[in-house]
Each structure stands twice: as structure tokens, then as C-alpha cells.
């Protein structure tokens, strides 16, 4: 006797379960990604954007009038900030601070303490991991003018 093999037949149930499975995976991944994004990044630059906007133009004009240019670099465990005036001379400020961190997470944020050596401001940050970092700098000029700038760092080893 010869054995007859029955071919597998795709039915409506198989298609239904396949579609439900595929969409379940897609929806599950989207929910996970949305939850992770909200959990790791607060999304706030300022607490109250309306209040921050009230003095924006005047603050920007005062900052531009300083004529400063900012350059940053990292070497080993040092983070350097160079502030130069319109003539290219180093600028000494009353106060400099800021936060170094990743653009998408606050987990690695740090607020270094800077020391001025007459040319640049240096801070020990430890070795920064490769990739993009942001330095959200606030410096106060000797005349009291506040200078704020976000500087993107691309760290390579």
C-alpha cells in the first residue's frame, strides 16, 4: 500500500493568528520604546517656557554684545572650555558652571568644578564615553551679564 501525504492547508484561523501575533509584537515594541523614552528623558529645558520667553530677546542681545566665542575639548579625564573675546584674547569670568550629559538621558549628568589657568577653564570629569554629549554652560561676565550656551561635544577615543 502506498501512503498518501496530506498537504498543509492555510485556513482563515492560521491567517488570523498570524496577524494577531504580528501586530502584538509591533504594539508591544512601541509601548516599550515609548515607556523607555519617557522614563529616561524629562524633556524639560526650562520649568516655565512663558516666563523664560519674556526676557529672551534682551538676554540674547546682551550675550551677543559680549562678543565671546566658546571652544571645548576633552583629553583623558579633563574637560576644557576656552572663552575668547572679539580679539581672540582669553576671557576671565566671575563664575562658570554647567552640566555635561547625554542628550537623551540624565543618568550620566555631572556638574564639574572649573579652574582658570589664565588661558582656559579646566575641570576633571572622568573619562567621558564615546558619542555625543551636551555641555549646558552658564558663565557670568565680570560686569554681571549672564552668558548661556549649549555646546555639543563629539567624544572619540
Amino acid at each position: 500500500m502506498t501512503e498518501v501525504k496530506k498537504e498543509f492547508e492555510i485556513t482563515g484561523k492560521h491567517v488570523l493568528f498570524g496577524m494577531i501575533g504580528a501586530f502584538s509584537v509591533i504594539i508591544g515594541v512601541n509601548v516599550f520604546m515609548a515607556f523607555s523614552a519617557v522614563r529616561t528623558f524629562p524633556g524639560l529645558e526650562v520649568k516655565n517656557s512663558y516666563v523664560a520667553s519674556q526676557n529672551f530677546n534682551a538676554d540674547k542681545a546682551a550675550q551677543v554684545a559680549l562678543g565671546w566665542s566658546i571652544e571645548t575639548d576633552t583629553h583623558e579625564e579633563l574637560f576644557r572650555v576656552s572663552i575668547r573675546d572679539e580679539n581672540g584674547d582669553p576671557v576671565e569670568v566671575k563664575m562658570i558652571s554647567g552640566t555635561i550629559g547625554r542628550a537623551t538621558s540624565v543618568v550620566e549628568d555631572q556638574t564639574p568644578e572649573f579652574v582658570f589657568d589664565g588661558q582656559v577653564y579646566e575641570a576633571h570629569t572622568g573619562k567621558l564615553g564615546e558619542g555625543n554629549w551636551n555641555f549646558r554652560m552658564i558663565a557670568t561676565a565680570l560686569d554681571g551679564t549672564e552668558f548661556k550656551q549649549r555646546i555639543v561635544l563629539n567624544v572619540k577615543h
Side-chain angles (χ1 to χ4, degrees), residues 56-69 84-86 145-149:
F56 179 82
N57 289 335
D59 293 345
K60 181 180 177 188
Q63 184 168 311
V64 169
L66 290 172
W68 292 356
S69 62
R84 304 276 176 198
D85 64 15
E86 294 167 327
T145 304
E146 194 169 72
F147 185 93
K148 294 181 181 181
Q149 190 166 0

Side-chain angles (χ1 to χ4, degrees), residues 2-8:
T2 57
E3 202 174 302
V4 178
K5 280 189 161 181
K6 187 176 178 184
E7 286 188 31
F8 181 74

